[in-house]
């Protein structure tokens, strides 16, 4: 078998495995909090209303995120015709696309084997896989930022290639209308300029008359933004609707500059992302100590192929660390670039006995943790088992979750014992593959009814009757998404007392044909929850207790 044939075989095997771990569990659950029900609800309302310019959550405009991801969800639904079977498709394709871009660029810069190592480093990371198996914006953002960086680096390191540079700028613009930080790949031009001035090795040759061509990067970047924002501004100014003006003010200012400079939630210390790249990027992060020496050598050799992506990673970390508001997934776009900078050294590192011992220790520790947790839960200890069962409304079926944890842990320990140091990487791959397979095949169907509120809304419709309208108070997006039959809501952002006042008036207009679905909280002190005839408990969903109210239960409410 020729080397090229070996490379093709290994690449096919890698992507078959990648497809499995990313796709396993597909179609076995509905959208789960956080974020998934909201995003799918927005896309669903786009499809139903035909309004793709101004996203809505219920009756209110939803200005928190740009619309591209919602458009992709809508497109996926249009192709498949089922929200359950389509809402994870953008993330699945984005994850596979990210891996393909990383592999191809590393292969072009060094070798096909280095390309596979780079893609593997991304694939095995806990954070990458967890996010790629969820319907959130971040996997799509990572794909666009990786595509942007791919195009720019094709020009800067392998070019000159002005078409790839323009595509890199266009992809950054797509990233902006996915999530505002999509411009981040353009920051790579800052260390590039310094490297050009210092005469670093590995940079593509530059022409003497390239200034005009560089100017094409800006319109390429702005094109997607203008294609979205132009029609939005035109409609908003023509309509004179104050809600449209508020939408523009929120999405262009509050959700971008204001959120970065003066965040109102998720406040974390400056060093927060250090723990993310150490813990959430396991097991790739185990290689960090062995990467220090080759990175230092690459610095001394002024190798831009290594240090240009590495410098961009540092800029991304600095950018997000400078803001008080931090969430772990913010720096996920930096992971492919870090793997790219590590790519030429991972093959040699994988052969190091010290690194294999570290991987073996990781497998032993994590497998033991899973085995002990599963075994203790099966025996009824500790308290987290009972707490989880009660919160999630589980019965005897919870045992499948504990058996899965114990089984993955046991298999990991067995693989580690048989493989020892020599085959530590294979033992790690087996354990991770089993873990993510169990997550998709066991956790997805087991927790879906409670997490998605599908069972709650089906029960509410059954108890209320087919022709009775159900009003939602203090509601969550998954309830409106999973609602069956006629339903009403009274504002999502409105204070709960305001929602209740509107809902009470609505029920009293036709008490025999309307009910309210509420969660029992202190804010609803006027509701007669103790009246068994007028207030009917529906059970728990999303770790909250829900009730179906008749008009009589609202007698004490204004």
């Amino acid at each position: 078998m020729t080397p090229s044939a070996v490379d093709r075989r290994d690449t096919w095997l890698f992507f078959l495995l990648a497809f499995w771990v990313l796709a396993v569990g597909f179609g076995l659950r509905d959208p789960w909090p956080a974020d998934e029900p909201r995003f799918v609800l927005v896309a669903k309302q786009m499809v139903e209303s035909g309004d793709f310019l101004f996203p809505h959550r219920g009756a209110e405009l939803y200005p928190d995120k740009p619309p591209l991801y919602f458009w992709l969800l809508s497109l996926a639904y249009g192709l498949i015709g089922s929200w359950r079977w389509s809402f994870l498709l953008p993330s699945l394709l984005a994850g596979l696309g990210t891996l393909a871009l990383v592999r191809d660029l590393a292969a072009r810069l060094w070798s096909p084997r280095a390309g596979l190592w780079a893609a593997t480093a991304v694939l095995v990371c806990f954070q990458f896989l967890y996010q790629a198996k969820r319907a959130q914006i971040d996997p799509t953002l990572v794909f666009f930022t990786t595509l942007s960086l791919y195009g720019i680096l094709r020009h800067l390191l392998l070019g000159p290639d002005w078409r790839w540079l323009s595509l890199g700028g266009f992809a950054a613009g797509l990233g902006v209308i996915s999530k505002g930080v999509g411009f981040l790949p353009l920051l790579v031009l800052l260390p590039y300029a310094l490297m050009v001035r210092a005469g670093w090795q590995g940079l593509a040759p530059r022409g003497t008359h390239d200034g005009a061509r560089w100017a094409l990067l800006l319109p390429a970047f702005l094109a997607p933004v203008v294609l979205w924002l132009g029609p939005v501004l035109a409609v908003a100014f023509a309509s004179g609707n104050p809600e449209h003006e508020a939408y523009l003010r929120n999405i262009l200012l509050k959700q971008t500059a204001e959120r970065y400079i003066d965040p109102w939630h998720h406040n974390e210390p400056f060093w927060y992302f250090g723990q993310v790249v150490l813990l959430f990027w396991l097991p790739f992060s185990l290689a960090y100590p062995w990467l220090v020496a080759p990175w230092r050598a690459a610095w001394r050799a002024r190798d831009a192929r290594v240090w240009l992506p590495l410098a961009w990673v540092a800029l991304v970390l600095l950018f997000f660390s400078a803001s008080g508001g931090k969430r772990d997934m913010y720096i996920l776009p930096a992971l492919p670039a870090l793997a790219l900078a590590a790519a030429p050294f991972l093959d040699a590192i994988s052969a190091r006995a010290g690194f294999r011992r570290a991987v073996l220790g990781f497998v032993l520790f994590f497998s033991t943790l899973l085995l002990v947790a599963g075994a203790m839960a099966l025996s009824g200890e500790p308290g987290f088992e009972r707490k989880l069962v009660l919160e999630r409304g589980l019965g005897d079926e919870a045992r499948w979750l504990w058996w899965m944890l114990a089984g993955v842990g046991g298999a990991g320990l067995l693989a580690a014992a048989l493989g020892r140091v020599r085959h530590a990487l294979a033992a790690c791959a087996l354990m991770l593959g089993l873990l993510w397979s169990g997550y998709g095949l066991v956790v997805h169907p087991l927790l879906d009814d409670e997490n998605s509120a599908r069972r709650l809304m089906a029960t509410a419709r059954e108890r209320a009757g087919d022709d009775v309208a159900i009003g939602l108070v203090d509601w969550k997006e998954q309830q409106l998404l999973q609602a069956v039959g006629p339903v009403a809501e009274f504002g999502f952002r409105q204070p709960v007392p305001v929602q209740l006042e509107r809902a009470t008036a609505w029920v009293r207009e036709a008490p025999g044909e309307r009910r309210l679905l509420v969660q029992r909280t202190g804010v609803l002190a006027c509701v007669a929850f103790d009246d068994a005839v007028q207030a009917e408990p529906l059970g728990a969903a999303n770790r909250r207790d829900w009730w179906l109210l008749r008009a009589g239960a609202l007698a004490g409410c204004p």
Side-chain angles (χ1 to χ4, degrees):
M1 186 178 290
T2 64
S4 59
V6 171
D7 293 335
R8 287 195 298 270
R9 181 204 64 189
D10 290 347
T11 299
W12 275 106
L13 287 174
F14 170 80
F15 279 102
L16 284 174
L17 290 172
F19 177 80
W20 169 258
V21 295
L22 289 171
V24 62
F26 199 93
L28 296 182
R29 70 173 179 91
D30 287 296
W32 290 358
D35 298 333
E36 288 184 351
R38 180 185 317 133
F39 297 155
V40 177
L41 176 63
V42 170
K44 183 172 182 285
Q45 292 190 234
M46 279 184 169
V47 172
E48 292 173 348
S49 68
D51 184 358
F52 290 89
L53 287 181
F54 292 94
H56 282 76
R57 175 174 49 191
E60 299 173 345
L61 286 172
Y62 178 69
D64 292 6
K65 296 292 186 291
L68 180 56
Y69 182 65
F70 310 138
W71 295 344
L72 294 176
L73 286 172
S74 302
L75 178 61
Y77 172 78
L79 293 173
I80 296 177
S82 164
W83 289 109
R84 184 182 179 96
W85 283 93
S86 67
F87 79 99
L88 289 172
L89 184 60
S91 294
L92 171 62
L93 295 179
L96 291 171
T98 298
L99 295 174
L101 290 169
V102 171
R103 189 215 66 83
D104 185 74
L105 185 55
R108 291 175 184 275
L109 288 171
W110 293 289
S111 69
R113 189 166 181 82
L116 280 179
W117 273 112
T120 300
V122 175
L123 178 64
V124 298
C125 287
F126 283 132
Q127 188 183 46
F128 176 80
L129 271 170
Y130 178 73
Q131 292 296 331
K133 293 175 74 67
R134 293 185 58 79
Q136 294 186 330
I137 298 175
D138 299 278
T140 302
L141 172 69
V142 170
F143 171 73
F144 285 129
T145 54
T146 305
L147 177 60
S148 177
L149 198 65
Y150 177 96
I152 294 172
L153 293 182
R154 281 286 299 263
H155 174 72
L156 301 182
L157 299 177
L158 297 169
D161 194 320
W162 299 99
R163 290 176 298 179
W164 276 113
L165 180 67
S166 298
L167 178 61
F170 188 81
L174 292 175
V176 168
I177 63 173
S178 300
K179 209 170 185 178
V181 295
F183 69 90
L184 286 173
L186 301 182
L187 296 181
V188 76
L189 298 177
L190 298 177
Y192 168 74
L194 296 176
M195 289 177 179
V196 168
R197 186 174 181 179
W200 278 56
Q201 304 297 315
L203 297 173
R206 295 180 300 126
T208 56
H209 304 289
D210 291 342
R213 290 184 172 183
W214 275 105
L216 296 175
L217 181 61
L218 182 60
F221 166 67
L222 292 177
V225 181
V226 171
L227 289 173
W228 159 61
L229 197 55
V232 170
L233 290 172
V235 172
F237 291 147
S239 69
N241 188 336
E243 292 185 354
H244 288 168
E245 295 179 13
Y247 170 85
L248 289 171
R249 186 166 53 251
N250 197 319
I251 198 168
L252 296 179
L253 295 176
K254 183 177 180 180
Q255 296 297 331
T256 52
E258 291 182 22
R259 186 169 185 169
Y260 181 83
I261 296 171
D262 187 20
W264 51 90
H265 52 34
H266 303 301
N267 289 285
E268 301 289 349
F270 180 84
W271 46 264
Y272 172 77
F273 289 117
Q275 65 187 8
V276 174
V277 300
L278 287 174
L279 297 178
F280 291 14
W281 291 3
L282 280 168
F284 172 40
S285 59
L286 294 173
Y288 293 168
W290 287 271
L291 285 167
V292 173
W295 280 346
R296 185 188 297 121
W299 175 269
R300 291 171 180 165
R302 296 295 187 262
D303 190 344
R305 296 177 302 170
V306 173
W307 273 94
L308 191 54
L310 202 55
W312 183 75
V313 170
L315 287 175
V316 172
L317 288 172
L318 181 62
F319 174 83
F320 285 116
S321 297
S323 174
K326 301 176 180 68
R327 297 182 69 186
D328 60 87
M329 71 279 292
Y330 286 177
I331 60 166
L332 188 57
L335 173 60
L338 188 66
L340 189 67
F345 316 115
L346 289 176
D347 193 21
I349 289 173
S350 71
R352 299 281 294 271
F355 174 69
R356 289 176 179 262
R357 291 191 188 98
V359 173
L360 183 65
F362 166 74
V363 174
L364 289 171
F365 173 79
F366 199 71
S367 296
T368 301
L369 186 66
L370 293 174
L371 177 60
V372 170
M376 293 182 71
L378 284 168
S379 65
E381 293 291 342
F384 82 84
E385 176 264 343
R386 292 189 295 272
K387 181 180 179 182
L388 180 64
V389 168
L390 289 174
E391 285 183 345
R392 301 296 180 178
L394 298 176
D396 292 339
E397 68 274 14
R399 70 184 186 279
W400 296 112
L401 175 58
W402 315 134
W403 278 114
M404 186 273 288
L405 295 178
V408 173
L413 289 176
L414 180 61
L418 294 176
R420 300 186 180 183
V421 174
R422 182 178 181 182
H423 299 293
L425 301 185
C428 184
L430 175 66
M431 181 197 68
L432 293 177
L434 291 175
L435 178 66
W436 290 111
S437 297
Y439 178 75
L441 297 175
V442 177
V443 177
H444 278 191
L446 187 67
L447 299 183
D448 185 54
D449 280 349
E450 200 278 346
N451 278 358
S452 68
R454 180 163 57 95
R455 180 175 56 191
L456 170 69
M457 299 311 294
T459 303
R461 174 52 56 199
E462 180 183 349
R463 302 283 180 84
D466 293 340
D467 298 325
V468 173
I470 298 176
L472 305 179
V473 174
D474 197 12
W475 52 285
K476 304 301 177 185
E477 291 96 344
Q478 55 267 30
Q479 293 168 339
L480 186 56
L481 178 65
Q482 297 290 348
V484 180
V487 66
E489 48 89 11
F490 310 95
F492 185 86
R493 295 181 181 271
Q494 292 295 325
V496 176
V498 174
Q499 294 185 43
L500 181 61
E501 181 180 353
R502 295 176 178 176
T504 300
W506 175 78
V507 170
R508 288 170 179 167
E509 290 176 357
E513 302 172 3
R514 295 175 181 177
R515 305 285 186 271
L516 290 187
L517 179 65
V518 305
Q519 54 177 306
R520 187 168 186 172
T521 62
V523 181
L524 305 183
C526 65
V527 176
F529 286 103
D530 296 332
D531 188 335
V533 176
Q534 300 295 322
E536 184 177 3
L538 298 180
N542 309 114
R543 290 175 286 185
R544 297 172 176 86
D545 292 324
W546 296 92
W547 297 67
L548 191 65
L549 306 180
R550 295 174 179 267
L554 305 169
C557 300

